[in-house]
Amino acid sequence: MAAAGRDRVAHLLRQLQRAACQCPTHSHTYSQAPGLPASEKTTDYAFEMAVSNIRYAAGVTKEVGMDLQNMGAKNVCLMTDKNLSQLPPVQVVMNSLTKNHINFKVYDNVRVEPTDSSFMEAIEFAKRGAFDAYVAVGGGSTIDTCKAANLYASSPEADFLDYVNAPLGKGQPVTVPLKPLIAVPTTAGTGSETTGVAIFDYERLKVKTGIASRAIKPTLGIIDPLHTLHMPPRVVANSGFDVLCHALESYTALPYHKRSPCPSNPINRPAYQGSNPISDVWAIHALQIVAKYLKRAVRNPDDIEAKSNMHLASAFAGIGFGNAGVHLCHGMSYPISGLVKTYKAKDYNVDHSLVPHGLSVVLTSPAVFTFTSQMFPERHLETAKILGAEVRTAKIKDAGLILADTLRKFLFDLNVDDGLAAIGYSKADIPALVKGTLPQERVTKLAPRSQSEEELSALFEASMKLY
């Protein structure tokens, strides 16, 4: 690692750390004294857990046809992408549907890192097909596309922006019944099989946004580790970085009882509610698995133990962040992906420029957790310890810098690109990156520290070079 680069990054991170709020009221506790009635509270007072049913085993995908038969499905939409359509995961699903006499049609035009246009194309297919159930076989792009297709085919009168997150869309609650959706994830990263979130690139503004509602979560997630054996090394790594940040962000998010406003009706309580005691358990467990198995899964394609555990970690982190939420790494990642220039990630067979989601998320993580650490430093230090840091003599005030150094070493060991500059960005791009982050308030407001445009600029600048 170049000393000059490290010194410059460390200087920026210390500036961010010194600017951190030292407010004594920000203690991370979930106990609340009796106070105002719910109708008079300005912050929330409750949290709830929503998660798909999950089934796990090597080879368990063969049961999907029986599941659909048990549901009484007569006309099924099988969604995947063109790369996967010829690979064993899709073949296993098709064989199971055929064996159980399930009529189905295949939609294989899912776009890796979907857009509003690719969502709309899938939605039109779903509307024409009049399906009574859906099966999504693929990574987060496929599962998210299938969620959107199910939603809008079930609500044919809705305008596309009706359910898209505010402020880009109207963020209306979903009140229509949806069809059953079975998700069969083939990557160990997004956790989309457990969550009510569907993410896409809004092409007109070149920014990522999404739809978030418990109503769109899959009915069942079938987690079959045999499918992850087909993942190339960089896909394994980038998917794993998404798990890493899901766990870190949900565990360090604003506590649920500090999130405002307090919903006037439970249907308006967001899926992303803030850290809470149940999500914490899943986040920490996922982080422990990442620390133990991610490097092994990347370095040895045949390590079925490591890949099986990472597949489970993805679901565990999904349960955690699907109810707690994520914050700055994800909020800042959306313009990093959306404004991509010519970068094409290794091991991704696509015909367009692409910054994989997990990579776009993790590149800002050292800067972000330095910035957020002063709010709940004990949590930042705890996660650094899980990831391998020696903290016995550490000072709590240094928690953010320790976690940042630990993350940089973790990324360096896995040959991750050296910051945003290495994927095509420069200091001149920072205003556009900040502008693309500002609409992501659904997640950025869950950061334990609020952030100004100047602070976001400093975070992007500190992320230009990591090593």
Side-chain angles (χ1 to χ4, degrees):
M1 300 185 192
R6 283 292 302 275
D7 290 347
R8 188 181 62 80
V9 171
H11 173 69
L12 277 166
L13 293 179
R14 286 194 189 93
Q15 283 184 312
L16 290 167
Q17 190 182 41
R18 279 197 293 271
C21 172
Q22 303 287 345
C23 174
T25 64
H26 286 96
S27 58
H28 202 298
T29 176
Y30 292 120
S31 61
Q32 298 184 81
L36 295 170
S39 60
E40 298 177 29
K41 287 180 178 291
T42 57
T43 57
D44 211 339
Y45 67 103
F47 72 93
E48 60 184 272
M49 297 297 292
V51 64
S52 307
N53 291 333
I54 297 296
R55 184 181 301 151
Y56 172 86
V60 75
T61 306
K62 65 187 177 187
E63 296 184 355
V64 67
M66 290 182 278
D67 287 314
L68 291 162
Q69 196 176 64
N70 294 339
M71 293 172 182
K74 306 292 184 187
N75 182 29
V76 174
C77 174
L78 170 56
M79 276 202 183
T80 188
D81 64 51
K82 282 189 163 54
N83 290 328
L84 266 173
S85 63
Q86 306 302 317
L87 293 176
V90 172
Q91 298 303 315
V92 171
V93 170
M94 291 173 69
N95 290 342
S96 182
L97 299 188
T98 301
K99 180 180 178 182
N100 289 278
H101 311 292
I102 302 294
N103 292 317
F104 65 93
K105 291 181 181 175
V106 176
Y107 181 84
D108 65 359
N109 207 31
V110 168
R111 188 182 196 271
V112 177
E113 302 295 338
T115 64
D116 51 328
S117 298
S118 72
F119 266 17
M120 290 297 293
E121 188 178 328
I123 290 164
E124 287 307 311
F125 181 86
K127 286 180 176 178
R128 289 195 305 270
F131 301 109
D132 58 7
Y134 295 81
V135 180
V137 185
S141 296
T142 296
I143 299 172
D144 287 4
T145 300
C146 200
K147 290 175 185 175
N150 188 9
L151 171 60
Y152 288 97
S154 301
S155 184
E157 303 304 315
D159 180 75
F160 181 70
L161 289 177
D162 284 352
Y163 298 123
V164 173
N165 299 324
L168 297 178
K170 297 178 182 177
Q172 292 179 359
V174 177
T175 56
V176 296
L178 273 62
K179 306 300 183 186
L181 191 166
I182 299 177
V184 185
T186 58
T187 61
T190 68
S192 186
E193 69 276 8
T194 71
T195 74
V197 178
I199 302 297
F200 65 93
D201 280 307
Y202 191 42
E203 292 173 296
R204 186 166 63 85
L205 298 180
K206 292 189 174 181
V207 70
K208 264 185 165 53
T209 183
I211 301 160
S213 169
R214 295 175 187 87
I216 69 171
K217 72 181 187 301
T219 313
L220 172 66
I222 292 181
I223 301 175
D224 186 339
L226 296 182
H227 299 329
T228 65
L229 296 178
H230 305 282
M231 294 168 63
R234 295 325 298 172
V235 178
V236 175
N238 291 327
S239 300
F241 297 146
D242 203 16
V243 180
L244 170 67
C245 288
H246 284 158
L248 287 171
E249 289 173 73
S250 63
Y251 192 60
T252 58
L254 188 76
Y256 74 92
H257 57 81
K258 293 182 181 293
R259 193 199 74 253
S260 61
C262 182
S264 57
N265 185 308
I267 198 172
N268 296 320
R269 181 167 285 116
Y272 286 1
Q273 301 161 89
S275 61
N276 60 77
I278 301 178
S279 288
D280 286 352
V281 173
W282 293 101
I284 286 297
H285 191 49
L287 195 62
Q288 290 167 340
I289 295 173
V290 169
K292 184 174 182 179
Y293 288 109
L294 179 55
K295 290 180 183 179
R296 277 176 52 182
V298 174
R299 290 168 177 165
N300 184 357
D302 299 318
D303 190 336
I304 186 68
E305 180 189 1
K307 289 195 169 182
S308 296
N309 275 280
M310 283 304 302
H311 214 21
L312 274 177
S314 175
F316 294 163
I319 295 168
F321 92 86
N323 293 282
V326 287
H327 56 80
L328 278 177
C329 292
H330 272 75
M332 294 170 66
S333 80
Y334 297 145
I336 293 170
S337 293
L339 296 171
V340 60
K341 299 174 184 178
T342 59
Y343 183 82
K344 283 190 179 180
K346 183 182 176 185
D347 289 344
Y348 288 79
N349 184 19
V350 294
D351 60 2
H352 53 275
S353 298
L354 173 71
V355 180
H357 173 65
L359 180 62
S360 70
V361 167
V362 83
L363 288 177
T364 62
S365 62
V368 163
F369 292 112
T370 301
F371 177 75
T372 58
S373 64
Q374 290 289 328
M375 304 312 292
F376 308 118
E378 72 289 344
R379 289 195 164 219
H380 290 69
L381 200 60
E382 180 185 0
T383 56
K385 181 180 179 182
I386 291 169
L387 291 172
E390 174 52 65
V391 300
R392 279 180 300 178
T393 59
K395 296 177 181 177
I396 196 72
K397 68 181 179 64
D398 294 328
L401 293 174
I402 292 169
L403 178 54
D405 278 341
T406 305
L407 286 167
R408 272 195 293 271
K409 183 179 187 306
F410 197 83
L411 301 183
F412 184 80
D413 287 348
L414 286 170
N415 301 312
V416 174
D417 300 83
D418 188 8
L420 298 180
I423 62 170
Y425 289 105
S426 70
K427 201 168 178 179
D429 297 307
I430 290 176
L433 291 167
V434 171
K435 184 180 178 182
T437 304
L438 295 177
Q440 310 302 332
E441 58 185 41
R442 178 180 64 93
V443 292
T444 56
K445 71 180 181 182
L446 288 173
R449 275 186 69 188
S450 60
Q451 57 290 153
S452 66
E453 291 187 36
E454 291 75 18
E455 287 166 330
L456 287 172
S457 294
L459 289 170
F460 279 116
E461 185 176 353
S463 303
M464 284 292 163
K465 188 169 177 60
L466 295 181
Y467 314 126

